[in-house]
Amino acid sequence: MLQCREDVLAFTKQLVNIESIVNTEGEKAISQSLFSILSNLPYFTNNPSHIKIAQTINDDHERYNVLAFVKGTKGTSKRTVILMGHMDTVGIDDFNQLKKLACFPDELMEALKHEDLPPSAQDHLQSGDWLFGRGILDMKSGVASHLYLLKHYSEHPEELDGNIVFLAECDEEDSSHGVLSALKTFKSWKEEHHFDYVAAINSDFVSPRYVGDENRYIYKGTVGKLLPSFFITGAETHVGSCFEGLDPNFIAAELTRQINYNPELCNEAFGETTVPPVSLKQTDLKPSYTVQTALSAYVYYNFFIHSWSPKDVLTKLKEQALIAFKRSLASFDDRYKQYCALSGEPYLNPPWGPRVYTYEEMEQMLIEENGNPFVSHMDQFKQTLLLDTTLDTRMFAARVVEEAWKWMKDKNPAIILFYSSLYSPRIELTGKTNHEQALIDALDQAVEAVQPNYQFPIITRNFFPYISDMSFVALSDDDEGINAVSTNDPGWGTKHYVDYQDIRDINVPVINIGPYGLDAHKKLERMEMTYSLEMVPNLTNLVIKNLLK
């Protein structure tokens, strides 16, 4: 076992002390600091071409990745293991009056002693084995573990029959510009140095899966994440004649009732099940107050997948949307009849029926009806819309659909289903290739060797349950699945774009061995030091050794 606790702790505090909130200048500051740390190591002083600070590509923010590699001298193998982790964090506003201490663990913990904390947090604060602070868990202690191993092998390349590539990426907490840009460097190094990428090890945090869970988890592969979105049109009317129109918010509410927390939309694979979808935004698109009902509404949902493809999800959600639309019309009709009975007004059969289209279906319909004028108009509209920097990818997509809808000849109420944000692909690690099986075996051997040195069970599972940059170093989806994203994303190729061929060119099996703790993204974010600073580096090191031996 490597005696690494104090060294990893020192690196952790050094990184945490640099505030590096995503989409702020702090991302640039931490990359420059980390690059300086590595550049001063003797190995990189002697081999300056083995380290790189690289600006992200096609990004609205100036920020950088830090990449480095150590070539082993024990033999001539080209086998290469990628160590990856992100430097950015979420914000610190939740620390309130302790905001200035959020990135200084020792001072923060002293101040927290005077706070009214939950019993578990109070116990951890007094234990001497937990460290608090923003980014301490997610995931600077993980980056510190990799940093320690990179430094160790830079001092002992004779222990390596193969190579280690180190990546500290930016922008994981938002749009993954960091890892997507890093793929270009991975590819160029692969060509220049003939690296054979056999595995990637991510170091994102892990937490209990339920109350009382004492297991420390290592994950093979990762969950996929989609953002299915719905543009809903109604039939406008004055509120004083409400039954003469159809409020799109009424349909949206029924849609959310149908999709939110629906266990039918949980995806089971290899004995593990995703959490169901939940809404992340629901609004109408009225710009200001009027007594006219809204023309349209917009809602989107988080959607995790293990084995379903993006195309499968569109099929399932189109069915769910049709169910919701029918129910909303039935409810509308029932309430309208009750109102007529109360008011004495005559009942007139509502003229609407349920209509659900994917964006691809609607766009194809509009191209067939309108030809090049529609295509040219939409291209120009998107370019103009890009000038509005207040629009994120999700609202950009909604505005594109809203504009396309204006070209529809039949403007009766409808639901348009599309994707409005980055797809984080799912990754399965099943042993279907030699590289996959070698990684699984190396991990199993490492856990078996380390477990006797640690009191709690170290358990492997198949899917990392949170969104992470693991999604962008391999692909389990086929072309049809990926095309379902690009053809149903109104912002694709303008507001954002992913070169999935870059991912296929690397396509390396990936696991997650990361720090253990609680309350990531919260004021009481904290990390258990024994597991995170001792077990994690040793587990990672043994996987490397087992892969390269």
Side-chain angles (χ1 to χ4, degrees):
M1 294 277 287
L2 295 168
Q3 301 305 307
C4 54
R5 179 176 176 128
E6 293 306 315
D7 288 342
V8 180
L9 176 60
F11 279 138
T12 298
K13 288 185 176 180
Q14 194 171 359
L15 294 174
V16 171
N17 287 164
I18 304 167
E19 183 182 300
S20 56
I21 298 169
V22 68
N23 298 331
T24 70
E25 287 294 305
E27 283 193 281
K28 185 163 59 172
I30 195 170
S31 61
Q32 291 168 340
S33 177
L34 183 54
F35 181 73
S36 178
I37 292 171
L38 291 175
S39 296
N40 288 320
L41 296 178
Y43 179 88
F44 295 109
T45 301
N46 295 327
N47 298 279
S49 64
H50 291 196
I51 184 172
K52 182 176 185 178
I53 183 167
Q55 187 171 353
T56 52
I57 300 167
N58 299 324
D59 194 352
D60 294 333
H61 299 271
E62 182 187 351
R63 48 193 165 194
Y64 299 83
N65 295 320
V66 178
L67 304 100
F69 64 86
V70 171
K71 285 188 173 182
T73 59
K74 187 177 181 180
T76 59
S77 173
K78 298 298 183 182
R79 288 174 298 181
T80 303
V81 177
I82 299 170
L83 304 179
M84 56 186 287
H86 68 87
M87 303 174 285
D88 59 316
T89 74
V90 295
I92 57 174
D93 288 343
D94 53 333
F95 282 81
N96 301 315
Q97 75 277 12
L98 300 180
K99 189 174 177 179
K100 291 182 179 180
L101 304 179
C103 298
F104 297 93
D106 296 328
E107 294 88 340
L108 175 66
M109 291 172 69
E110 190 61 35
L112 287 173
K113 291 177 181 178
H114 306 289
E115 298 265 317
D116 185 17
L117 303 180
S120 64
Q122 191 67 49
D123 291 344
H124 292 157
L125 192 63
Q126 303 295 335
S127 71
D129 196 36
W130 287 75
L131 210 58
F132 288 63
R134 173 59 75 236
I136 202 90
L137 176 63
D138 184 17
M139 59 174 275
K140 292 181 177 179
S141 54
V143 175
S145 172
H146 287 175
L147 185 56
Y148 169 84
L149 291 172
L150 182 72
K151 178 177 181 289
H152 172 82
Y153 283 112
S154 75
E155 295 167 350
H156 302 284
E158 74 280 356
E159 296 180 10
L160 279 179
D161 185 9
N163 315 292
I164 290 178
V165 168
F166 170 90
L167 166 65
E169 74 266 23
C170 56
D171 188 34
E172 189 268 359
E173 297 290 359
D174 188 356
S175 300
S176 292
H177 281 99
V179 68
L180 290 169
S181 299
L183 293 173
K184 303 292 187 184
T185 302
F186 288 166
K187 287 175 66 175
S188 68
W189 283 354
K190 181 179 180 179
E191 294 168 3
E192 182 180 354
H193 301 283
H194 307 289
F195 288 158
D196 175 17
Y197 295 123
V198 297
I201 304 174
N202 193 44
S203 56
D204 218 331
F205 78 95
V206 298
S207 288
R209 295 178 52 235
Y210 49 84
V211 175
D213 181 11
E214 294 187 333
N215 296 327
R216 276 51 171 167
Y217 293 105
I218 295 172
Y219 292 95
K220 303 175 291 184
T222 186
V223 70
K225 189 261 187 187
L226 291 156
L227 195 74
S229 308
F230 298 83
F231 177 81
I232 304 164
T233 68
E236 71 274 17
T237 185
H238 189 283
V239 293
S241 306
C242 62
F243 286 106
E244 292 181 11
L246 181 61
D247 180 9
N249 290 306
F250 187 66
I251 305 171
E254 186 62 39
L255 184 66
T256 293
R257 193 179 78 86
Q258 180 66 26
I259 291 175
N260 252 24
Y261 307 113
N262 186 345
E264 293 180 12
L265 298 174
C266 296
N267 182 197
E268 186 276 334
F270 304 108
E272 298 176 20
T273 304
T274 63
V275 296
V278 66
S279 65
L280 293 174
K281 187 179 185 68
Q282 184 168 320
T283 184
D284 64 43
L285 297 177
K286 286 177 67 173
S288 60
Y289 173 82
T290 70
V291 291
Q292 184 189 57
T293 58
L295 294 173
S296 57
Y298 182 39
V299 56
Y300 52 73
Y301 306 87
N302 184 77
F303 202 110
F304 286 133
I305 52 176
H306 283 166
S307 62
W308 294 340
S309 73
K311 183 179 181 181
D312 295 332
V313 173
L314 288 176
T315 300
K316 293 175 186 298
L317 287 179
K318 190 174 179 182
E319 294 171 355
Q320 297 295 322
L322 191 59
I323 292 169
F325 208 147
K326 289 178 179 178
R327 283 182 176 170
S328 61
L329 291 176
S331 177
F332 176 93
D333 191 54
D334 180 60
R335 294 179 181 189
Y336 179 33
K337 287 175 179 177
Q338 291 182 51
Y339 170 75
C340 289
L342 290 170
S343 65
E345 293 184 10
Y347 168 80
L348 299 175
N349 193 42
W352 315 293
R355 295 197 301 162
V356 180
Y357 304 109
T358 64
Y359 179 73
E360 182 182 15
E361 290 169 342
M362 182 183 75
E363 185 179 49
Q364 189 58 42
M365 189 186 314
L366 291 174
I367 291 172
E368 291 174 359
E369 290 178 352
N370 303 285
N372 285 333
F374 167 74
V375 174
S376 298
H377 172 80
M378 292 306 299
D379 287 344
Q380 184 178 359
F381 176 81
K382 290 178 188 179
Q383 293 303 318
T384 303
L385 200 62
L386 281 173
L387 301 176
D388 186 349
T389 58
T390 66
L391 296 179
D392 64 12
T393 59
R394 293 151 287 274
M395 282 309 300
F396 182 94
R399 293 303 181 191
V400 172
V401 179
E402 182 180 45
E403 184 68 18
W405 175 258
K406 295 176 183 178
W407 287 69
M408 289 285 284
K409 293 179 179 178
D410 183 354
K411 290 188 171 60
N412 279 308
I415 296 176
I416 312 301
L417 166 60
F418 56 99
Y419 292 124
S420 67
S421 189
L422 182 73
Y423 168 44
S424 298
R426 63 192 177 88
I427 297 178
E428 300 172 356
L429 189 67
T430 61
K432 60 183 175 292
T433 68
N434 290 336
H435 281 347
E436 284 193 13
Q437 191 57 55
L439 179 54
I440 292 169
D441 292 342
L443 175 58
D444 289 344
Q445 293 164 21
V447 172
E448 184 179 358
V450 170
Q451 183 66 82
N453 300 282
Y454 186 66
Q455 67 181 113
F456 297 109
I458 302 172
I459 304 297
T460 59
R461 287 177 62 83
N462 287 294
F463 297 100
F464 184 68
Y466 314 116
I467 305 161
S468 82
D469 283 343
M470 295 169 70
S471 288
F472 300 105
V473 295
L475 273 181
S476 294
D477 289 307
D478 58 19
D479 288 340
E480 188 178 35
I482 294 299
N483 288 341
V485 175
S486 59
T487 56
N488 285 285
D489 184 343
W492 188 264
T494 48
K495 189 66 173 178
H496 71 107
Y497 171 76
V498 175
D499 188 346
Y500 286 104
Q501 188 57 47
D502 280 351
I503 303 175
R504 292 198 191 282
D505 289 343
I506 300 301
N507 210 36
V508 59
V510 60
I511 60 175
N512 189 84
I513 305 174
Y516 172 84
L518 298 168
D519 292 335
H521 293 202
K522 299 179 184 179
K523 176 181 177 180
L524 297 179
E525 178 178 350
R526 57 198 186 274
M527 171 267 291
E528 186 218 295
M529 290 195 279
T530 296
Y531 182 78
S532 306
L533 307 182
E534 297 179 44
M535 302 305 127
V536 166
N538 275 285
L539 284 162
T540 305
N541 185 50
L542 286 175
V543 172
I544 293 169
K545 284 182 172 293
N546 292 336
L547 284 168
L548 301 185
K549 66 183 180 183

